[in-house]
Amino acid sequence: MASAQISVVLSGTQSITEAGQMFTFDFGAGDGVLEAISAGSLTVTALGDYSVVPPSSETMDWDIDGVASGQGFDAGAFSGPIDLFQNSVSQSFDISMADMIAITSDGSVTITIQNGSSVDFFVDQPEDFVSVSLEYRAVPTPGVAGLLGLGGLIAARRRRA
């Protein structure tokens, strides 16, 4: 019998503030971190003083546990016309299966976003934010698998009634 697989999604949002341009998102077992059995996808979505594609200094660098890292955003990440001060951006980055296994093997994940030095904070734009979402497939622990199986039995019983 094949093991059940589940989709794991770790996500968080932080506001861009005057205090700094470094964002740390920590996830542990309580957040649903399970050991990966697949490649993953990191999506970074933001609203702020991002301009054009690298090597512009109005971008960000991302890092996951020192295992996978990169820089964004490419031209396709921008939605709408490019503004000098506030742009909506979203880009997904592929994470290899080997990297996902290394990242999740200890039951915790830390995603760090470092805005470039020219990504400025503007007092009149308090809605600016950085959001991350890391998605991958995992095999649930025995306790979680039991709950999933129980849920399936309950659903099947309801269908018969």
Side-chain angles (χ1 to χ4, degrees), residues 152-161:
L153 288 174
I154 291 169
R157 186 171 185 185
R158 285 185 182 165
R159 276 188 240 130
R160 282 191 221 140

Side-chain angles (χ1 to χ4, degrees), residues 40-102:
S41 177
L42 172 69
T43 301
V44 179
T45 303
L47 177 66
D49 182 35
Y50 301 98
S51 66
V52 294
V53 301
S56 167
S57 58
E58 288 187 330
T59 190
M60 63 84 199
D61 294 313
W62 60 269
D63 179 90
I64 307 175
D65 283 347
V67 174
S69 61
Q71 187 177 49
F73 299 96
D74 69 21
F78 293 82
S79 61
I82 303 298
D83 182 280
L84 288 176
F85 305 107
Q86 187 183 48
N87 291 295
S88 178
V89 291
S90 184
Q91 178 138 6
S92 293
F93 303 92
D94 294 329
I95 313 297
S96 73
M97 185 167 125
D99 283 352
M100 282 307 307
I101 291 169

